[in-house]
Amino acid sequence: MLTFEEKLTIIETFPQLIRKEVSLNRVNFHFPESQFEKKIVVYHLHPNGNGFVYAAGLPGYEKDRKGFVNIREFSEPALILLLQDAIKALETVETVETLEETWINDNQFELTLLNEDLDTWLVYAGDLLDGAFNSYKEAANYLEEEGFRRK
């Protein structure tokens, strides 16, 4: 496990992140150039080594319901990769090649994600509208939180 100081050193190698001190000696790092409402990349990095990185929409990471990954046990290469992925996801307004995706849950129930236009993503259960979102990232996050994955 990396120490607090080691994690800080790694995070501070990303010049696009801005350090913000918060309560209880914890530190957040913001990404002001984010193309999304979400600006915090590193959340509540604590001197005990605990902390979180925002990774909603990124596959391959165990996230809490808000899209954060606990980095307490991360190695240096794993933390660097996660930070690179998180920043890239927040700085990139995805261009949509596929306008329709099918998502499925463990019960084999399917939902369809459709791109109405660049600013509107719709989730359908058959012919019934289940939700409307302002970005692909928001829609995908909702579907993941509901236990769905891309088919």
Side-chain angles (χ1 to χ4, degrees):
M1 178 178 93
L2 297 169
T3 66
F4 174 73
E5 290 78 18
E6 291 168 328
K7 288 176 184 166
L8 272 179
T9 300
I10 293 166
I11 296 164
E12 289 173 342
T13 65
F14 292 87
Q16 60 273 56
L17 298 179
I18 306 298
R19 181 178 174 150
K20 305 274 184 170
E21 303 290 331
V22 291
S23 63
L24 304 174
N25 296 320
R26 296 174 295 186
V27 180
N28 288 349
F29 284 85
H30 294 236
F31 179 49
E33 301 302 315
S34 174
Q35 297 298 305
F36 302 92
E37 187 174 317
K38 184 55 126 176
K39 303 286 185 205
I40 296 176
V41 174
V42 178
Y43 179 69
H44 285 178
L45 182 62
H46 192 276
N48 71 8
N50 204 26
F52 304 89
V53 171
Y54 184 71
L58 294 176
Y61 295 103
E62 185 177 326
K63 301 170 281 279
D64 66 16
R65 63 180 183 80
K66 293 182 179 179
F68 285 95
V69 174
N70 189 313
I71 60 168
R72 183 175 188 72
E73 302 295 327
F74 270 48
S75 66
E76 180 175 352
L79 180 57
I80 290 169
L81 181 61
L82 174 58
L83 289 167
Q84 289 169 339
D85 289 346
I87 291 168
K88 184 176 181 180
L90 291 174
E91 72 184 356
T92 305
V93 175
E94 297 178 16
T95 56
V96 180
E97 294 180 21
T98 305
L99 298 177
E100 181 176 332
E101 290 181 347
T102 301
W103 289 62
I104 192 166
N105 67 7
D106 291 338
N107 296 323
Q108 304 305 308
F109 185 77
E110 293 184 359
L111 294 177
T112 303
L113 177 58
L114 288 173
N115 180 232
E116 177 85 358
D117 56 50
L118 283 179
D119 295 327
T120 307
W121 289 85
L122 305 174
V123 175
Y124 284 95
D127 292 334
L128 301 174
L129 180 64
D130 184 60
F133 302 89
N134 293 322
S135 70
Y136 176 85
K137 197 168 198 59
E138 286 179 21
N141 190 36
Y142 164 76
L143 288 163
E144 286 176 354
E145 287 176 359
E146 295 297 317
F148 285 83
R149 64 191 179 286
R150 279 183 214 89
K151 186 172 176 183

